[in-house]
Amino acid sequence: DTGVSQNPRHKITKRGQNVTFRCDPISEHNRLYWYRQTLGQGPEFLTYFQNEAQLEKSRLLSDRFSAERPKGSFSTLEIQRTEQGDSAMYLCASSLSTKGYGYTFGSGTRLTVV
Amino acid sequence: DQQVKQNSPSLSVQEGRISILNCDYTNSMFDYFLWYKKYPAEGPTFLISISSIKDKNEDGRFTVFLNKSAKHLSLHIVPSQPGDSAVYFCAASVNGDDKIIFGKGTRLHILP
């Protein structure tokens, strides 16, 4: 197992376009988290799944954002009608435990909206 | 509303000396605290944690101290090594809550 994999690593898109990111967690991990990190800030919680169920969504996650985790395996995060303010690093993490030390983060997808 | 605060954006320390990174929090419901380390182009990696029932936890060169009355925690790295140069995030969670809340991070530079 190579850890948490995120694709693509980088994405440049024009304002108004839709983008989709993928996260493949560690196979035995049932929890999957999405965070967003902007310059000079720490990771901010967006949403998380336990198996295929989306259990919590941050108010940061506007209606333009949607996340899925079909069959409790990989997850996708889609942003519709991207805005320049969406430019950030999108981090995925997975864990077996509710304790933060169980988180394994991927390397992230860097989104640039031009 | 920043519930976890790291007020020093950066810190420079001579190799071999002690590095002390500080963190304050506002949410009295936090009962579990963590430090994560992040290198460029990588995701954060877990470093050390402490439960609110303790005031100190040690792991090799890394020690975390918790002062609940002051809502303050600190990470000590002794001795500091070049590979410790990274961004360090303080984080916290509430028991039973699956998400962790991160601070803005402190960039640590270890000087030769």
Side-chain angles (χ1 to χ4, degrees):
Chain A
D1 195 334
T2 56
V4 177
S5 176
Q6 291 190 246
N7 288 289
R9 290 296 305 273
H10 304 275
K11 178 72 177 178
I12 300 175
T13 190
K14 291 184 178 179
R15 192 171 45 190
Q17 297 293 305
N18 299 342
V19 293
T20 300
F21 311 139
R22 177 177 170 125
C23 172
D24 288 273
I26 293 173
S27 55
E28 61 265 30
H29 285 183
N30 60 350
R31 291 180 171 83
L32 186 148
Y33 307 82
W34 285 99
Y35 280 77
R36 179 174 69 187
Q37 186 179 9
T38 53
L39 198 61
Q41 302 293 318
E44 297 173 297
F45 172 78
L46 293 178
T47 188
Y48 96 93
F49 294 82
Q50 181 167 318
N51 300 313
E52 65 273 15
Q54 188 173 19
L55 296 187
E56 188 173 346
K57 290 171 62 172
S58 165
R59 55 188 167 83
L60 292 175
L61 215 62
S62 76
D63 291 345
R64 297 184 297 105
F65 288 70
S66 62
E68 294 182 343
R69 192 184 182 197
K71 302 178 183 177
S73 56
F74 71 92
S75 176
T76 58
L77 178 67
E78 181 184 17
I79 309 174
Q80 296 182 328
R81 305 180 303 281
T82 52
E83 302 172 356
Q84 286 190 319
D86 297 332
S87 295
M89 175 73 82
Y90 290 84
L91 293 163
C92 176
S94 68
S95 78
L96 263 180
S97 165
T98 57
K99 296 300 184 185
Y101 60 70
Y103 279 34
T104 301
F105 278 91
S107 296
T109 293
R110 180 167 294 284
L111 173 67
T112 303
V113 182
V114 297
Chain B
D1 177 31
Q2 197 75 18
Q3 299 184 65
V4 178
K5 301 178 182 180
Q6 294 178 259
N7 294 318
S8 299
S10 67
L11 175 68
S12 294
V13 174
Q14 204 82 34
E15 181 179 354
R17 307 294 286 267
I18 183 171
S19 295
I20 300 176
L21 295 95
N22 292 304
C23 177
D24 299 294
Y25 62 95
T26 58
N27 189 344
S28 58
M29 298 297 291
F30 286 147
D31 65 347
Y32 201 75
F33 303 90
L34 310 99
W35 286 92
Y36 274 75
K37 179 179 180 179
K38 186 180 183 304
Y39 292 118
E42 295 182 11
T45 55
F46 170 74
L47 190 57
I48 191 169
S49 63
I50 188 168
S51 164
S52 61
I53 62 173
K54 295 185 175 181
D55 55 17
K56 177 182 174 181
N57 188 28
E58 193 171 351
D59 183 2
R61 296 186 299 115
F62 303 92
T63 303
V64 57
F65 296 92
L66 175 63
N67 182 334
K68 284 182 64 178
S69 61
K71 292 192 175 68
H72 178 85
L73 62 155
S74 61
L75 174 68
H76 293 211
I77 307 173
V78 182
S80 299
Q81 297 176 354
D84 297 331
S85 293
V87 177
Y88 289 79
F89 292 103
C90 175
S93 69
V94 176
N95 187 31
D97 193 352
D98 271 344
K99 65 180 183 289
I100 57 175
I101 307 299
F102 286 85
K104 291 185 178 183
T106 296
R107 183 176 299 277
L108 176 64
H109 300 270
I110 304 302
L111 306 172

